[in-house]
Amino acid sequence: MFHHKGTSAALSRRKVLKAGGALTATGLIGLPARLLAADPVSVAGIYTVPVEQQWVSRIHKAATAQQDAGAVTYTYSENTANTDYARVMREYAEGGAKLIVGEIFGVEDEAREVVGDYPEVAFLMGSSFMPDPAYPNLAVFDNYIQDASYLSGIIAGAMSQSGNIGMVGGFPIPEVNRLMNAFMAGVRETRADAKFQISFIGSWFDPPKAKETAFAMIDAGADVMYAERFGVSDAAQERGVLAVGNVIDTQADYPGTVVASALWHFEPTFDAALARVIDGSFAADNYGVYSQMKEGGCSLAPLGTFEGKVPEAAMALVAEREAAIKDGSFTVAIDDNEPTAG
């Protein structure tokens, strides 16, 4: 049984915010009633970008859903610089957090030093590395949503008139590369002669730079844009071309532009970790598997305004492949290599 001890004075000085109740769960696995009856688990989130950013928003949404359900108390820090990350981890651990969730891609070594100093705290961290028995209280995850990315590519290929696809990413690291490669594989299912323009902006959150990069690709003939970063869909909308979203569904913001999106659902990942914290079985493990389609960790967004506008043959292929992915008869390759243009 874990009891919330409250945040430390240091956290109060940092003006850590309680998550609001405005978000609701989608695809929430849920916890057994006996677990929900336990005292709320103190959960802390540490994010290097705003919680509105695509990737982090999925974690924030899942944690908020369990706070709304009464299973956790949730505090978080956003815009935490890598140079501050280890210090904030220590502050939350000292303040009584029982589960700390975040992303340590830029601070792998420093984060593991902290993890080793707080063996009673469970850490669920986005990481480029696999779990290590030397850090039994550190479980890792990543957004392995290549299944949904592949399906969105099938639609993109079918909707492109020119066969020229623009792709704007943050950094060419495995977490981005695998989604881009899966998307490109899907495009080639319906547009075998497709050509790709690829660029990385060197930031996780720089919408103006992403927008300018997308404009250049559209000027060079792209008529479908892969929007791995915020800003790309803005360019597509202004120039009257289509966009395919990543991680979140932004069609409501770009109703005539975003034709499809690969959605990440963090609830299966978060709920599995929370259940193990509560029952005392949390250990070093790879939670990346909970992002896969068969686990409910990703999906293709509804077509919305594009319902009936995507060629029937493409949608039939999407349905066929989605069923095969879920029953295990078709596997989307996990290719972490940097994608190549051309």
Side-chain angles (χ1 to χ4, degrees), residues 239-315:
R239 294 291 173 85
V241 303
L242 300 178
V244 172
N246 178 57
V247 175
I248 62 175
D249 187 358
T250 59
Q251 197 190 67
D253 298 318
Y254 309 97
T257 301
V258 176
V259 62
S261 294
L263 308 183
W264 184 27
H265 307 295
F266 194 70
E267 288 81 3
T269 305
F270 186 85
D271 294 352
L274 181 59
R276 291 172 191 172
V277 168
I278 291 171
D279 70 17
S281 66
F282 189 89
D285 205 350
N286 175 22
Y287 278 69
V289 296
Y290 292 104
S291 288
Q292 296 182 7
M293 186 167 282
K294 59 184 173 60
E295 299 291 343
C298 68
S299 68
L300 189 65
L303 291 181
T305 58
F306 284 90
E307 193 72 47
K309 298 178 182 178
V310 178
E312 289 184 13
M315 292 313 300

Side-chain angles (χ1 to χ4, degrees), residues 104-302:
I104 58 173
F105 300 105
V107 290
E108 299 279 3
D109 292 339
E110 300 94 322
R112 282 168 176 76
E113 287 183 18
V114 176
V115 165
D117 289 342
Y118 299 94
E120 300 305 312
V121 178
F123 293 86
L124 176 66
M125 293 290 181
S127 171
S128 296
F129 297 94
M130 288 294 105
D132 183 345
Y135 302 95
N137 57 325
L138 173 61
V140 297
F141 69 87
D142 208 346
N143 59 326
Y144 286 88
I145 64 169
Q146 64 279 346
D147 300 330
S149 296
Y150 166 80
L151 297 180
S152 72
I154 291 175
I155 293 173
M159 294 297 284
S160 176
Q161 299 298 313
S162 67
N164 188 326
I165 311 291
M167 305 182 69
V168 180
F171 295 90
I173 62 173
E175 293 69 31
V176 175
N177 297 344
R178 75 174 66 108
L179 306 187
M180 284 189 162
N181 284 318
F183 171 81
M184 293 165 74
V187 168
R188 293 186 180 110
E189 295 278 17
T190 48
R191 187 75 192 227
D193 63 345
K195 302 297 181 186
F196 299 92
Q197 301 180 60
I198 300 173
S199 184
F200 298 92
I201 63 172
S203 172
W204 291 130
F205 195 73
D206 190 345
K209 187 172 183 179
K211 185 176 181 180
E212 289 305 315
T213 303
F215 276 147
M217 292 181 176
I218 296 167
D219 289 344
D223 67 349
V224 177
M225 294 299 305
Y226 177 74
E228 200 268 330
R229 293 292 100 197
F230 277 153
V232 176
S233 294
D234 294 286
Q237 180 173 257
E238 288 186 25
R239 294 291 173 85
V241 303
L242 300 178
V244 172
N246 178 57
V247 175
I248 62 175
D249 187 358
T250 59
Q251 197 190 67
D253 298 318
Y254 309 97
T257 301
V258 176
V259 62
S261 294
L263 308 183
W264 184 27
H265 307 295
F266 194 70
E267 288 81 3
T269 305
F270 186 85
D271 294 352
L274 181 59
R276 291 172 191 172
V277 168
I278 291 171
D279 70 17
S281 66
F282 189 89
D285 205 350
N286 175 22
Y287 278 69
V289 296
Y290 292 104
S291 288
Q292 296 182 7
M293 186 167 282
K294 59 184 173 60
E295 299 291 343
C298 68
S299 68
L300 189 65

